[in-house]
Amino acid sequence: LPFLTLTVLLLSTPAFAQGSLNVSGQAMLYVVPDEVIVGLGIETFDASLTQAKTKNDAETTTLLRAIQDLGVEARHVQTDTVDVSLEYRDSSHPSQGIEGYFVRRAFTVTLKNPRLIENLVTSALSNGANRIMGLEYRTTELRKYRDEARRKAVAAAREKADLLAGEM
């Protein structure tokens, strides 16, 4: 699994009789993510708007059932967008008529078990989804790790300032 990286910079300014010294401290933590946000989409096309929507509805039902079968709770699946657009026969001359309609739906799925990512993507592509619109690995304990990185950055800046001050 990929790791998340947090970097914190801190400036410390110890005062000296003849001036000041600016130092920075940096801390980097590698955190194993405990959830993944996955963007999935379904795009259908037909000469008839009704048919394009009917196809999209059917694919959506199949996709949502497959996601549920993986154990993903309904509250962790959200519809992001629903979009309908026209496709003209000749885009420079709309007067040539409409070729058909695209119906698109996008979903965001939050996986609380990152190990399911491969199963989700495979299942989604086999059950109606024809677009993968990104993966975001993250931790639900970001605040805890950010605070830890800040403490370590302060300690690093303090060590650097003490060393430099001792040399002056």
Side-chain angles (χ1 to χ4, degrees):
L1 288 174
F3 292 94
L4 297 177
T5 304
L6 299 174
T7 305
V8 178
L9 296 176
L10 175 79
L11 292 178
S12 172
T13 313
F16 295 98
Q18 297 179 341
S20 65
L21 175 68
N22 291 326
V23 296
S24 63
Q26 181 175 341
M28 193 175 299
L29 297 177
Y30 295 94
V31 179
V32 177
D34 59 1
E35 70 180 13
V36 183
I37 309 301
V38 184
L40 302 171
I42 297 170
E43 179 178 273
T44 54
F45 178 82
D46 199 276
S48 159
L49 176 57
T50 303
Q51 283 298 96
K53 184 182 177 318
T54 299
K55 288 177 184 178
N56 198 279
D57 290 346
E59 297 292 339
T60 295
T61 299
T62 303
L63 174 62
L64 293 177
R65 190 175 302 118
I67 292 170
Q68 184 180 16
D69 288 347
L70 288 173
V72 177
E73 295 178 41
R75 67 188 177 111
H76 295 299
V77 181
Q78 296 180 337
T79 301
D80 278 348
T81 58
V82 177
D83 177 59
V84 177
S85 62
L86 300 168
E87 180 73 17
Y88 292 103
R89 285 191 179 98
D90 182 348
S91 62
S92 61
H93 298 285
S95 61
Q96 298 296 315
I98 296 170
E99 184 173 335
Y101 301 85
F102 281 104
V103 177
R104 298 177 185 95
R105 284 190 203 181
F107 301 92
T108 300
V109 179
T110 302
L111 285 179
K112 295 297 184 178
N113 181 353
R115 293 184 193 131
L116 288 177
I117 187 65
E118 257 187 76
N119 292 345
L120 174 68
V121 170
T122 301
S123 182
L125 292 173
S126 300
N127 289 285
N130 52 16
R131 301 176 75 200
I132 303 294
M133 299 172 305
L135 305 171
E136 177 189 348
Y137 291 89
R138 64 185 193 184
T139 177
T140 56
E141 297 184 299
L142 183 59
R143 177 61 190 248
K144 176 180 99 172
Y145 293 120
R146 190 178 283 155
D147 290 348
E148 183 181 343
R150 286 179 178 141
R151 282 190 295 278
K152 289 182 176 188
V154 168
R158 189 172 291 126
E159 287 175 20
K160 194 183 293 185
D162 289 346
L163 178 67
L164 292 172
E167 292 297 318
M168 295 179 86

